[in-house]
Amino acid sequence: MTAPAGQPYDYRRRPLAEPDWTRFPGWGDVTAAQWESAQWQRVNCVKNVKQLRAVLGDLLDERFYTDLETDQQRLATMSMLLPPQMLNTMVPDRVPDTDAFYADPIRRYMLPVATDRHLDWPSHPHATRDSLHEHDMWVAEGLTHRYPTKVLAELLATCPQYCGHCTRMDLVGNSTPAVDKLRLSLKPVDRYDAHLSYLKAHPGVRDVVVSGGDVANVPWRQLEAYLMGLLSVPTVRDIRLATKALAGLPQHWLQDDVVEGLHRVAITASRRGVNLAVHTHVNHVNSLTPLVAKAAQTLLDVGVRDVRNQGVLMRGVNATTADLLDLCFALQGEAGILPYYFYMCDMIPNAEHWRVPVWYAQQLQHDMMGYLPGYATPRIVCDVPFVGKRWVHMVSEYDREHGISYWTKNYRTSIEQDDDEALNKLFAYYDPIDTLPQSGQDWWQKQIASD
Ligand code: SF4
């Protein structure tokens, strides 16, 4: 008799666990009270190789530290900034050694090293610093108007943690040897006033994504004033707060002043019939711990209508069906966070080793269907330059040999208001070259040689 075929993915409920931080030599004496303090977490962030050594010591050999230093000096588009909470989710179930640390999925995107990068094609020839042209679409400093009814408000250019693949690497974080960052020039209060003026003058904009950077780095009083300002504009109907810190530094969202302030904002939003939600950015199930779940539940308890996840699809991190489903089941079933989107990693410099081709993203979407509740089945989307989010199955034409997909759109961005042809054009997105057949790779080599 043959064994039953079974399912491609085998769901089992797995409770969340806080990894034991005392397994790291530098944190052997850290108490639970210290660990749960946002201030302790911020003061003890790891910002350079020396500080990483102070935490991990000789658990890692010199090979890793040198590899990290090389990346920071030559290739990194983001500087290093890791709250202990995030570092503690790397190799969570044992004392790490060098090989386990190299292989860890969260390490691979939060603490990239030079040998992670793709040697032949570190960047796609069409990679750009502001790959989504958000800056080009600023209608006021930090306010991107790309979709007809929605704006993205970048309140500041910092985060409590820096992700190696950050799509806003043009603006966010400290400059690195590879990238001299843009700087916001207005005082915050003037920037925020300019945003409100634009919204008052444009009643067709109903939806504001309040981001950065990460709103967890806006002093709470400033953020509350900004949100109350938005809530005073009667045409604003949706407000979404973007914060990876919900997973990277959940201690921030559990502070009394933040919880009480968010409660005031949520009550005001509810009275005015505005949908207030929090969007976070979790890429791997190991990031979800009881503290993250507690922070998410606290947001819901104070009246935030929903907490949703927008992850990024990356090779070596989460680009398998099992990784994505493990994460989604833990988000949905254990942390009270709705799996919402997975974005394909954008075409920024030195990101080719993370990116996946469109056909592969389509396959992952196919393979995820049918396991989660329908409303909690995330869409995998491609953020096509000059277009915006497109579900990966919406591709219009696809040249697999050269890895060029073509997409259409059904609205004009703010820089195309007078462009009669904008809705008739095809817009290109490019697969990573190392995933192409040899003939496609040769074609790109020739293109570059002839430029
Ligand atoms: S939290 Fe978001 S904005 Fe900040 S570095 Fe990560 S991806 Fe970029």
Side-chain angles (χ1 to χ4, degrees):
M1 212 164 85
T2 54
Q7 299 293 356
Y9 176 80
D10 189 20
Y11 168 72
R12 289 284 178 279
R13 185 174 179 193
R14 293 184 195 98
L16 305 181
E18 207 71 47
D20 176 10
W21 55 85
T22 64
R23 73 189 185 287
F24 292 114
W27 295 333
D29 298 327
V30 173
T31 64
Q34 286 174 308
W35 191 260
E36 289 174 17
S37 154
Q39 202 192 351
W40 186 90
Q41 289 279 334
R42 285 188 189 263
V43 168
N44 288 281
C45 277
V46 169
K47 302 193 238 4
N48 53 50
V49 175
K50 188 172 167 214
Q51 291 174 344
L52 187 68
R53 268 183 209 275
V55 176
L56 283 147
D58 56 12
L59 293 182
L60 305 183
D61 62 31
E62 279 310 307
R63 176 171 54 115
F64 184 85
Y65 292 121
T66 306
D67 209 355
L68 179 58
E69 191 93 57
T70 305
D71 197 69
Q72 286 289 307
Q73 290 303 322
R74 293 186 29 222
L75 296 163
T77 55
M78 298 299 290
S79 59
M80 200 190 298
L81 182 61
L82 268 175
Q85 172 76 24
M86 281 219 88
L87 186 48
N88 192 36
T89 59
M90 298 178 193
V91 195
D93 46 5
R94 65 188 172 91
V95 176
D97 57 27
T98 303
D99 288 344
F101 209 63
Y102 262 112
D104 186 83
I106 294 173
R107 197 286 303 159
R108 283 174 186 265
Y109 82 94
M110 290 305 297
L111 204 53
V113 292
T115 55
D116 290 338
R117 312 265 180 190
H118 202 285
L119 289 179
D120 294 336
W121 298 101
S123 300
H124 194 281
H126 287 277
T128 53
R129 288 175 55 138
D130 179 17
S131 70
L132 302 180
H133 303 277
E134 288 176 332
H135 188 198
D136 297 341
M137 295 177 197
W138 276 6
V139 288
E141 188 180 82
L143 192 68
T144 299
H145 193 174
R146 179 159 53 148
Y147 303 99
T149 57
K150 310 188 252 188
V151 286
L152 164 75
E154 293 163 318
L155 297 199
L156 80 175
T158 66
C159 308
Q161 65 284 304
Y162 290 134
C163 316
H165 65 283
C166 180
T167 196
R168 295 202 187 112
M169 45 72 71
D170 195 30
L171 175 74
V172 169
N174 305 312
S175 291
T176 67
V179 184
D180 195 18
K181 308 270 168 156
L182 286 178
R183 289 283 159 240
L184 296 168
S185 58
L186 292 178
K187 283 191 205 144
V189 65
D190 296 333
R191 186 158 60 248
Y192 303 166
D193 283 350
H195 293 185
L196 287 180
S197 299
Y198 185 83
L199 290 167
K200 285 175 189 158
H202 294 83
V205 179
R206 59 173 303 288
D207 182 354
V208 185
V209 175
V210 184
S211 184
D214 186 321
V215 295
N217 268 16
V218 183
W220 179 261
R221 279 168 181 271
Q222 264 184 38
L223 182 59
E224 183 168 344
Y226 185 88
L227 296 173
M228 290 301 194
L230 291 183
L231 288 167
S232 73
V233 181
T235 45
V236 170
R237 313 308 299 145
D238 270 271
I239 298 175
R240 305 185 253 169
L241 300 177
T243 175
K244 185 181 176 86
L246 185 67
L249 185 66
Q251 294 85 349
H252 170 83
W253 290 104
L254 289 164
Q255 296 174 108
D256 289 346
D257 61 331
V258 175
V259 173
E260 287 159 16
L262 195 59
H263 186 45
R264 288 190 291 273
V265 174
I267 288 175
T268 307
S270 170
R271 285 199 189 120
R272 299 193 181 161
V274 174
N275 299 303
L276 177 71
V278 168
H279 282 197
T280 194
H281 166 193
V282 183
N283 296 329
H284 193 273
V285 66
N286 289 356
S287 292
L288 296 174
T289 74
L291 265 176
V292 177
K294 184 177 173 190
Q297 187 58 52
T298 302
L299 299 180
L300 295 170
D301 289 347
V302 300
V304 168
R305 174 180 159 157
D306 209 353
V307 182
R308 308 183 185 115
N309 186 54
Q310 303 187 165
V312 176
L313 189 60
M314 283 177 279
R315 279 194 269 181
V317 176
N318 58 9
T320 69
T321 310
D323 281 337
L324 294 179
L325 286 175
D326 285 352
L327 169 57
C328 291
F329 277 114
L331 287 164
Q332 170 75 0
E334 312 304 327
I337 300 173
L338 184 78
Y340 176 41
Y341 280 136
F342 285 105
Y343 286 82
M344 294 180 68
C345 183
D346 292 318
M347 290 193 296
I348 55 159
N350 297 341
E352 288 308 273
H353 64 295
W354 283 310
R355 297 200 311 117
V356 301
V358 167
W359 62 265
Y360 186 78
Q362 290 174 331
Q363 185 66 47
L364 286 173
Q365 179 78 77
H366 172 274
D367 293 349
M368 288 177 76
M369 302 300 286
Y371 286 89
L372 292 146
Y375 70 91
T377 301
R379 271 167 288 167
I380 301 180
V381 291
C382 180
D383 216 335
V384 182
F386 293 115
V387 175
K389 279 183 289 295
R390 304 280 94 177
W391 187 33
V392 287
H393 281 87
M394 290 170 68
V395 62
S396 288
E397 294 173 23
Y398 192 3
D399 170 356
R400 285 276 298 269
E401 183 185 6
H402 303 110
I404 310 174
S405 51
Y406 297 95
W407 310 75
T408 58
K409 64 181 173 184
N410 51 328
Y411 46 76
R412 291 184 174 81
T413 65
S414 60
I415 54 175
E416 297 162 321
Q417 294 305 307
D418 301 322
D419 182 349
D420 290 338
E421 283 305 303
L423 306 192
N424 301 322
K425 286 183 191 162
L426 290 173
F427 297 85
Y429 179 84
Y430 301 90
D431 288 345
I433 293 173
D434 70 287
T435 66
L436 303 181
Q438 194 56 50
S439 59
Q441 297 192 31
D442 294 345
W443 183 83
W444 279 105
Q445 289 283 11
K446 280 194 201 126
Q447 296 295 111
I448 288 171
S450 66
D451 274 352

